[in-house]
Amino acid sequence: MDCQLSLTSLITLTSLADTNQFRSLRSLHLRIFSSVTLENIGDALDSPTSLFLQALPPLNRLSLTNYFGVLTLSVILAHHGPTLHSLHLAPNPKTTTTSSLITFHRSTTPPFYHSATIVAQIATHCPRLEYLGLPVQRQQGGPQEVAAYRALGKLRRLERVELFLNCGVLPVLVLGCAGSAAEEAQAEREAEAEFLRKLMVNSAVDEVLARAIFGEIAGAGGVLLERLGVKPAVPAFLASKWSIMR
């Protein structure tokens, strides 16, 4: 089943699912959109999406594009995880453009990108996964970013991985300066310079990085990884898509 749904349609389908109308469904590609512009649209759609997925029978293949969050992921893991062979969670395209950089930089609630802890939960609840597509937050190659890659190695049956690397910089809080206006301006300029430095580092997605990520996943022990796809997002002016095969 491949469908693109509005929030209204999603609610209608949930009612049908509650009456067991989709009892034979095993594969679902769901793209969710909203005609209403909200600051936290992902939060608004998270609950209805989770209710719809909860009402479905356990799936073998699930692809979810656009908006998803903690509630949705919890239902995926608990209800569908044990039977899933393929799981594809793609980010909202509206957060993968260069024009969204400043908004993302100054936001206090960054987009939902998966941490090492959540990847480990996926490994625990989805032991049969052979394919996984997942958004991951770049953090200048730091320990938390590397830990997310290594956690993928816990999926012993995993053969193919597709990573959507968010190259944007996590929100930075600039504390107020007690000095003069000139000192406040200087502090702001320094914060912006640090933001740009991190952005450039995050955006340097090349073959060396792709092979390093492959090595971190495959080197975690026991995984059957055959292919890794790396797709940078937010922004990609220094980055390219890469595909690494064993």
Side-chain angles (χ1 to χ4, degrees), residues 36-48:
V36 180
T37 301
L38 297 174
E39 182 177 355
N40 295 318
I41 186 64
D43 294 337
L45 292 178
D46 189 24
S47 179

Side-chain angles (χ1 to χ4, degrees), residues 101-102 105 169 190-202 237:
L101 282 176
I102 299 302
H105 171 46
V169 180
E190 290 176 356
E192 292 296 335
E194 179 64 10
F195 161 70
L196 290 174
R197 184 193 68 80
K198 291 181 178 180
L199 180 61
M200 296 291 281
V201 173
N202 281 352
F237 54 79

Side-chain angles (χ1 to χ4, degrees), residues 139-198:
Q139 298 183 58
Q140 301 87 55
Q144 293 182 341
E145 180 184 346
V146 174
Y149 303 141
R150 290 177 178 171
L152 290 169
K154 297 179 180 180
L155 288 157
R156 302 308 185 194
R157 298 189 181 185
L158 199 61
E159 297 178 359
R160 295 182 298 119
V161 176
E162 187 173 15
L163 298 179
F164 306 99
L165 299 183
N166 181 23
C167 300
V169 180
L170 288 174
V172 176
L173 177 62
V174 180
L175 297 178
C177 179
S180 64
E183 290 172 330
E184 291 181 4
Q186 178 62 25
E188 179 68 19
R189 286 193 294 269
E190 290 176 356
E192 292 296 335
E194 179 64 10
F195 161 70
L196 290 174
R197 184 193 68 80
K198 291 181 178 180

Side-chain angles (χ1 to χ4, degrees), residues 63-222:
S63 176
L64 182 60
T65 301
N66 283 5
Y67 301 105
F68 50 88
V70 175
L71 293 176
T72 298
L73 185 64
S74 296
V75 170
I76 291 173
L77 297 183
H79 185 58
H80 301 283
T83 60
L84 282 177
H85 292 268
S86 175
L87 176 61
H88 182 89
L89 300 175
N92 171 20
K94 292 183 180 180
T95 65
T96 60
T97 61
T98 304
S99 61
S100 65
L101 282 176
I102 299 302
T103 300
F104 179 65
H105 171 46
R106 300 190 180 281
S107 171
T108 57
T109 54
F112 186 73
Y113 278 77
H114 299 292
S115 66
T117 301
I118 295 179
V119 174
Q121 292 176 4
I122 292 175
T124 298
H125 290 86
C126 308
R128 299 186 179 185
L129 277 185
E130 299 172 1
Y131 166 80
L132 177 61
L134 198 68
V136 173
Q137 174 65 48
R138 287 226 61 204
Q139 298 183 58
Q140 301 87 55
Q144 293 182 341
E145 180 184 346
V146 174
Y149 303 141
R150 290 177 178 171
L152 290 169
K154 297 179 180 180
L155 288 157
R156 302 308 185 194
R157 298 189 181 185
L158 199 61
E159 297 178 359
R160 295 182 298 119
V161 176
E162 187 173 15
L163 298 179
F164 306 99
L165 299 183
N166 181 23
C167 300
V169 180
L170 288 174
V172 176
L173 177 62
V174 180
L175 297 178
C177 179
S180 64
E183 290 172 330
E184 291 181 4
Q186 178 62 25
E188 179 68 19
R189 286 193 294 269
E190 290 176 356
E192 292 296 335
E194 179 64 10
F195 161 70
L196 290 174
R197 184 193 68 80
K198 291 181 178 180
L199 180 61
M200 296 291 281
V201 173
N202 281 352
S203 300
V205 178
D206 55 12
E207 182 180 1
V208 174
L209 177 64
R211 291 192 179 278
I213 295 173
F214 188 101
E216 292 292 349
I217 299 172

